[in-house]
Amino acid sequence: MPPRAAPSDRGSGRGRGGARGGRGGRGAGPAIPPARSSGVNTNVGLPDASSHITTVGVKRTAFGTSGRAIHVFTNHFEVKIPEANILHYDVVISPSEKTLPARLNMEIIERLQTVIAPEVFTPRAVYDGRKNMFAARPLPFGTSGEFEVTLVDPPSPGDANRGAEPGRPPKAYKVKLTHVATINPEVLARFLQGKQSHDNAVLTAITALNVVIRMEPSLKYPFNVRSFFTDREKKDIGSGIVLWRGYFQSVRPAIGRMLINVDISTGAMYKPGPLLTIAMEFLGYEHPSRFGQPQGPNQQQQDFRDRVRLQRFLSGVRVTVEIPGQRQTSRRPARVVKKISQGGPATLFFTNREGQRMNVKDYFQRAHNYQLRWPHVPCVELGSGALIPMEVCHIFEGQIMRKQVPPEKTKDVLDFATKKPQERLGSIKNGLGVLAYGQSEYVRQFGLVVQPNATPVSLQARILDPPVLQYGQGSRQPTIKPRDGAWNMIDKKFFRPVTIRRWCVAVFERQQRFRMDLAQEMVHGMLQAFASVGITVLETDPVIKWAGSHEPVAPFLRMIGGECFNKNGRQGGPDLIVAVLPEASADIYMRVKHFGDITQGVATQCLRSSKCTRAKAQYFANVCLKINVKLGGINTIPDARSVPVLTDPHNPTIVMGADVIHPAPGADGRPSFTSLVGNVDSDNAKYIADCRVQTSRQEMIDDLQDMAKGMIQMYLGYRTGYEKKQGGPKRIIFYRDGVSEGQFQHVLDYELPQLRAACAATGVQAKITVIVVGKRHHVRFFPQNSGNADRSGNCPAGTVVDKDIVHPTEFDFYLQSHSGLLGTSRPAHYSVLYDENNFTPDSLQALSFALCHVYARSTRSVSIPAPVYYADIVCARAKNHYDPEGNMDLEGSGAPLDDAQKKSALDAFKAGFKPLSAAMRKVMYFS
């Protein structure tokens, strides 16, 4: 028996979706320039308006008409839905102390259908890897049936005679199938026509069709829910990672028809080969002797960090045990790596079945007659607790790495994944051959039909007019209309530039690399840029100091701030600290931000030394965009006449953006972070933010009421105190990021009441609109001719689609608000869940597009409305709220934790989360 580590208790839970409900109607909304359209009846494709047709979000009552029409292709293909009934079975596989991986479940069901009971499963049923099986005809066992499945054939007499390892008998799984529903596709057909509510029967029917198209590739290829990956196109990017090209496919309902959304995707896979070789490649070691033999305390610390990094990388990978020189006598099942041991086989002791105490090295010598070559290299601990030396483990091909790719490899992934629009469309068309719907027995027997020569769906899109942007006094060009989603700052002053009274420069780069003359040249460049955008600087010779190589960041910043205080006649500390950082300085950056945003309440601007050395004027102009808003200024505002719906003086509006960010896969006991961002000014250009910590992987925002109450109070204070205007907000437009379609009802049930309560607590009577902004989808648009494309080959900024491929009954649209740079642009998907303001499609589309132009950090329109973009950034910076000198590890070790350990870790994270400094709450510190 292999050696074992101490067992650990682990719990496991499973969640199911909630109930679904309906929402009320809509009215006319503010005026928008009329469509330049072809006079076609615009009501074709609208859902039945009667009240018995219910929806989760707002029911669609009209389509948008404004803008210039163009024709585009989209990566959707038409599919004919089945006519015969589909039978739905519930699947329970036991023993299931913990949730079995979908891959293992698929193996069990495949063996059940092909080896154990093929006569029952003719034709074969389809299975989703979890709880659902669908069959094209009733399975011949009545309402329920039970089967026993083993994944290994019993040993043949020949094997037994040759003295194969007796071991344990193969594990038997019990599979119980229960008929739960019969699905009539007529329900789906009525839903696509807008004559049926979006209820459970419709959802199950769509799920069934998705399981049908995914069944064949799931059995043939590595898969990840909706994507599968093949080794036809791959790239080794080092660090033990290989990228494989994959295909995404999803059956989606659209107006009057069913479509399959097909896209290319990228899978990060573990490199196959000896585990020891891959571990060395990941850590950058040249020889196994580098493991486990540290020279001095610094090396010991580095070894510990390397072990934790390696554990994060390898936890969850499956390995086979292959002892050199020994014949594999029976099929050894692959084993899952749980963690990496602290010592090597020579120092790891255990007690065997006979009660003898021995180390792992001696065990392998005695039990397997194998002398380990590297007794100091750590072992891997398997899920069972067994300790196996790395040198006898092997990673087999085709395993998806369900972890974040290391930051230094992100560029390699982007290089592999990025394809220009026409290339991507070509790959998607070729993908139909790989998907081979016509050759799948599952697709055929369920009566789904995709024409073998199917072409991508062609549809009409519209290009919206961009808003006019207004700049400040003294600008030679006070207004500008963006072209192709971009504009520049030439001849323009900020709408409201700030005054910098005192500032200083903290240099963390070595002085030999960033000399005094370069620092002074940088200061000169910044002063010129400040003057060109209208920022007034009272101190033209700031204090410049170099930090020592290991000097603690916070005391150094405090010291340089003190020098600035004394130099300026003790009138006050710096308004701004410019920090010049070396390459690969994430830890210094985090410490600078913690000092500025949390501890001291002073604006900080970090610059990379390689970028700010001999930099051009454009670089410093871009830096000014960030500095101005960090100090409370406003860069530009949308001109009131060009977006009346946004800046209507009779309807003061707060636009909020909210987001939740979750820990990386495998980071147990780490919290989720939430953020809320909202404007305080009447021009929707000056935003403030709040950030909180909450239970791990919980999507709904717990503290939304308290956060929204704070935003409304700040808005009221700014409106009456600074703008000298009366009255509170009449409208709240709440953009919510990162919510999947299955959670729309939860937003309405859990977050909307919190917004209402925040209004009540502040005495505000505002009408609320809730819009979910989705980015994690695979819908793309491709111009049909080059005359309608931008320079990158993408659709122009302002491309909007609200027909043909959208939801059959609910108010949603796709808006590609940015111009392309590299690859194929992804439009944002807007779903309107609630709307007391009765916006028309045109007004909501114009408003959303305008908000993509007030993102302070650039002179380009961005892909999502600025408040949502800011909410993303605030969430990503939540880690800066923790004391960098503390011992909060936000990434986790990769080792699984039990429930008590998770709770204890989460409590520590909640207690250690430090609030934003009061001074930073009023400015865009996150810019």
Side-chain angles (χ1 to χ4, degrees):
M1 167 190 156
R4 291 182 180 278
S8 66
D9 297 320
R10 294 213 327 245
S12 151
R14 175 195 289 263
R16 302 298 293 264
R20 315 190 67 92
R23 196 67 46 249
R26 302 155 27 73
I32 281 291
R36 301 196 286 278
S37 68
S38 54
V40 179
N41 178 5
T42 55
N43 291 328
V44 175
L46 290 176
D48 188 326
S50 52
S51 60
H52 71 278
I53 307 295
T54 59
T55 55
V56 177
V58 172
K59 192 183 287 186
R60 190 190 305 280
T61 59
F63 296 108
T65 57
S66 64
R68 174 174 66 89
I70 67 163
H71 284 91
V72 299
F73 289 119
T74 177
N75 55 335
H76 291 74
F77 299 86
E78 203 162 338
V79 58
K80 179 176 161 290
I81 61 175
E83 292 171 3
N85 285 352
I86 297 172
L87 292 99
H88 181 197
Y89 292 85
D90 180 64
V91 181
V92 177
I93 298 177
S94 55
S96 55
E97 315 81 53
K98 54 181 190 241
T99 306
L100 298 175
R103 170 199 49 76
L104 178 57
N105 288 340
M106 293 295 287
E107 280 182 42
I108 292 166
I109 296 298
E110 185 191 17
R111 192 165 174 86
L112 168 64
Q113 296 202 85
T114 55
V115 177
I116 308 293
E119 69 289 348
V120 173
F121 299 95
T122 305
R124 285 181 205 157
V126 297
Y127 174 54
D128 71 351
R130 289 280 171 241
K131 294 278 291 171
N132 300 297
M133 178 181 277
F134 299 97
R137 67 169 186 82
L139 299 177
F141 50 64
T143 55
S144 77
E146 285 201 29
F147 305 87
E148 190 169 280
V149 179
T150 56
L151 290 177
V152 181
D153 292 323
S156 66
D159 275 350
N161 295 339
R162 283 198 297 270
E165 294 177 29
R168 289 178 231 154
K171 184 167 183 177
Y173 296 94
K174 281 199 163 46
V175 179
K176 183 176 183 185
L177 304 177
T178 309
H179 177 239
V180 286
T182 298
I183 302 161
N184 183 348
E186 177 60 26
V187 171
L188 195 52
R190 286 177 56 75
F191 173 65
L192 299 176
Q193 298 299 331
K195 297 183 172 124
Q196 163 80 34
S197 297
H198 193 183
D199 58 15
N200 253 339
V202 169
L203 281 171
T204 309
I206 295 167
T207 300
L209 300 187
N210 272 307
V211 176
V212 168
I213 64 162
R214 289 173 193 152
M215 186 69 184
E216 184 111 350
S218 296
L219 296 172
K220 280 191 194 166
Y221 306 105
F223 64 93
N224 190 358
V225 191
R226 292 177 293 181
S227 291
F228 66 89
F229 305 95
T230 82
D231 60 357
R232 294 182 181 194
E233 193 182 341
K234 59 185 179 182
K235 178 184 178 185
D236 186 338
I237 59 169
S239 294
I241 303 167
V242 181
L243 301 178
W244 282 22
R245 178 75 67 222
Y247 292 94
F248 166 93
Q249 50 175 352
S250 177
V251 176
R252 295 188 60 81
I255 295 174
R257 58 184 170 176
M258 210 75 191
L259 301 172
I260 299 186
N261 177 204
V262 177
D263 196 17
I264 54 171
S265 58
T266 299
M269 321 291 284
Y270 286 102
K271 186 174 179 175
L275 179 61
L276 180 53
T277 308
I278 287 149
M280 290 195 308
E281 185 180 315
F282 177 76
L283 293 171
Y285 291 0
E286 291 187 359
H287 196 268
S289 60
R290 171 70 183 76
F291 281 100
Q293 295 178 324
Q295 314 291 319
N298 283 352
Q299 187 74 58
Q300 255 177 333
Q301 279 186 331
Q302 185 58 47
D303 275 14
F304 172 76
R305 284 197 294 269
D306 284 354
R307 187 174 65 80
V308 169
R309 275 179 58 227
L310 184 62
Q311 183 167 281
R312 262 188 223 128
F313 174 62
L314 291 177
S315 64
V317 73
R318 291 179 295 145
V319 295
T320 51
V321 178
E322 298 176 11
I323 297 169
Q326 294 196 9
R327 193 167 74 86
Q328 303 301 308
T329 50
S330 63
R331 181 191 158 187
R332 291 175 191 262
R335 320 285 286 277
V336 179
V337 171
K338 185 167 126 188
K339 53 169 95 165
I340 306 294
S341 69
Q342 289 190 9
T347 57
L348 285 171
F349 285 83
F350 71 102
T351 304
N352 67 8
R353 282 178 180 162
E354 288 74 44
Q356 294 174 304
R357 188 160 168 74
M358 63 166 66
N359 65 25
V360 177
K361 173 174 173 276
D362 292 345
Y363 167 81
F364 269 79
Q365 180 71 61
R366 286 191 206 174
H368 300 289
N369 192 27
Y370 177 66
Q371 177 80 41
L372 291 175
R373 293 182 63 201
W374 312 109
H376 297 289
V377 173
C379 291
V380 293
E381 185 183 319
L382 304 179
S384 62
L387 293 158
I388 311 288
M390 268 198 218
E391 64 185 82
V392 299
C393 295
H394 199 90
I395 296 179
F396 55 89
E397 191 171 55
Q399 295 189 66
I400 300 172
M401 187 186 89
R402 300 176 199 276
K403 312 273 167 66
Q404 278 185 316
V405 172
E408 65 274 13
K409 295 292 172 192
T410 306
K411 185 179 181 301
D412 295 307
V413 176
L414 289 175
D415 289 346
F416 181 76
T418 301
K419 280 184 181 275
K420 287 186 163 43
Q422 291 310 315
E423 280 177 33
R424 191 182 195 98
L425 188 58
S427 289
I428 288 164
K429 289 176 184 171
N430 295 340
L432 276 192
V434 180
L435 293 161
Y437 292 119
Q439 291 159 36
S440 162
E441 60 169 307
Y442 302 101
V443 171
R444 284 204 312 270
Q445 74 202 19
F446 276 86
L448 273 174
V449 181
V450 180
Q451 295 303 330
N453 56 349
T455 55
V457 166
S458 168
L459 53 85
Q460 182 178 296
R462 293 173 289 115
I463 311 296
L464 300 181
D465 262 359
V468 173
L469 300 175
Q470 193 175 333
Y471 278 88
Q473 290 178 339
S475 301
R476 281 171 58 191
Q477 189 186 7
T479 60
I480 186 164
K481 191 167 190 175
R483 286 191 57 185
D484 296 327
W487 63 100
N488 61 51
M489 283 290 299
I490 296 168
D491 292 338
K492 297 176 199 68
K493 308 282 188 196
F494 286 147
F495 180 75
R496 188 175 299 139
V498 294
T499 296
I500 300 173
R501 293 163 301 180
R502 299 169 295 278
W503 62 305
C504 55
V505 179
V507 186
F508 293 91
E509 178 63 280
R510 296 203 319 271
Q511 193 157 356
Q512 300 95 298
R513 285 200 172 174
F514 194 75
R515 304 181 308 273
M516 177 57 90
D517 61 313
L518 295 175
Q520 287 172 332
E521 193 180 304
M522 179 201 79
V523 167
H524 180 66
M526 291 187 78
L527 289 170
Q528 282 187 316
F530 288 148
S532 72
V533 296
I535 292 176
T536 305
V537 185
L538 303 182
E539 181 180 20
T540 55
D541 57 337
V543 172
I544 304 173
K545 283 279 182 218
W546 277 258
S549 58
H550 293 293
E551 191 163 351
V553 171
F556 174 70
L557 292 175
R558 200 164 272 116
M559 180 273 292
I560 194 173
E563 285 207 23
C564 175
F565 176 75
N566 291 330
K567 174 178 178 283
N568 287 281
R570 306 177 75 82
Q571 292 176 356
D575 297 326
L576 170 71
I577 298 176
V578 174
V580 179
L581 308 185
E583 296 297 312
S585 52
D587 53 338
I588 302 176
Y589 175 86
M590 197 168 163
R591 284 167 166 77
V592 170
K593 290 298 168 191
H594 184 82
F595 177 83
D597 298 346
I598 312 300
T599 311
Q600 202 63 34
V602 58
T604 52
Q605 179 60 55
C606 294
L607 307 177
R608 190 169 288 167
S609 63
S610 58
K611 299 273 190 192
C612 66
T613 301
R614 306 260 153 87
K616 292 189 166 70
Q618 181 63 53
Y619 172 82
F620 293 119
N622 289 342
V623 171
C624 288
L625 293 171
K626 302 172 80 170
I627 289 174
N628 192 53
V629 294
K630 281 178 184 175
L631 292 168
I634 296 174
N635 294 351
T636 182
I637 63 165
D639 184 67
R641 287 162 302 185
S642 73
V643 202
V645 65
L646 184 61
T647 50
D648 178 0
H650 304 296
N651 285 298
T653 303
I654 300 182
V655 181
M656 294 181 180
D659 193 18
V660 179
I661 189 171
H662 301 299
D668 273 1
R670 300 303 177 271
S672 291
F673 296 105
T674 63
S675 65
L676 183 69
V677 172
N679 62 295
V680 291
D681 66 326
S682 302
D683 299 306
N684 299 93
K686 184 178 170 70
Y687 290 85
I688 57 166
D690 198 353
C691 182
R692 305 285 173 96
V693 60
Q694 74 176 25
T695 303
S696 186
R697 304 189 199 287
Q698 177 185 309
E699 187 52 60
M700 295 299 110
I701 301 174
D702 272 342
D703 293 335
L704 184 60
Q705 180 179 338
D706 195 44
M707 294 159 89
K709 181 181 163 189
M711 297 268 153
I712 295 169
Q713 286 170 336
M714 295 277 268
Y715 177 91
L716 292 170
Y718 189 87
R719 185 172 174 80
T720 55
Y722 188 88
E723 295 184 334
K724 306 293 187 231
K725 293 179 180 176
Q726 296 306 306
K730 297 279 181 62
R731 301 187 299 200
I732 292 178
I733 302 171
F734 180 73
Y735 284 98
R736 178 69 159 86
D737 190 15
V739 178
S740 63
E741 289 172 19
Q743 293 171 315
F744 284 0
Q745 188 65 47
H746 298 313
V747 173
L748 294 168
D749 293 342
Y750 192 74
E751 294 186 350
L752 177 60
Q754 292 191 66
L755 287 175
R756 286 201 178 114
C759 289
T762 49
V764 161
Q765 291 184 319
K767 292 181 176 176
I768 298 172
T769 297
V770 176
I771 306 162
V772 169
V773 185
K775 305 188 298 284
R776 293 193 184 103
H777 60 77
H778 285 265
V779 175
R780 301 289 185 276
F781 301 121
F782 305 88
Q784 289 192 10
N785 65 62
S786 56
N788 284 326
D790 66 12
R791 278 184 297 184
S792 68
N794 281 287
C795 293
T799 301
V800 69
V801 171
D802 65 355
K803 289 184 179 178
D804 298 309
I805 61 161
V806 292
H807 197 282
T809 59
E810 297 184 10
F811 180 12
D812 69 332
F813 59 91
Y814 292 91
L815 170 61
Q816 188 178 302
S817 51
H818 59 300
S819 62
L821 288 172
L822 297 167
T824 307
S825 298
R826 185 199 318 244
H829 182 213
Y830 297 78
S831 301
V832 187
L833 299 196
Y834 189 80
D835 183 21
E836 291 177 331
N837 290 295
N838 293 325
F839 285 117
T840 62
D842 280 330
S843 58
L844 209 45
Q845 288 161 13
L847 183 151
S848 300
F849 188 39
L851 286 169
C852 296
H853 290 77
V854 296
Y855 181 65
R857 287 163 60 157
S858 70
T859 53
R860 303 178 69 87
S861 58
V862 288
S863 59
I864 51 177
V868 189
Y869 209 133
Y870 292 145
D872 281 0
I873 295 169
V874 171
C875 268
R877 290 175 57 145
K879 58 183 180 290
N880 298 344
H881 286 255
Y882 292 99
D883 183 351
E885 307 310 325
N887 54 0
M888 291 294 184
D889 174 16
L890 280 159
E891 293 183 349
S893 66
L897 306 178
D898 63 32
D899 288 348
Q901 289 170 314
K902 285 180 190 173
K903 184 179 183 315
S904 160
L906 202 59
D907 288 346
F909 278 109
K910 285 184 174 178
F913 188 82
K914 293 182 162 40
L916 206 57
S917 158
M920 293 290 112
R921 288 181 191 169
K922 298 179 180 176
V923 294
M924 290 165 64
Y925 70 93
F926 45 83
S927 185

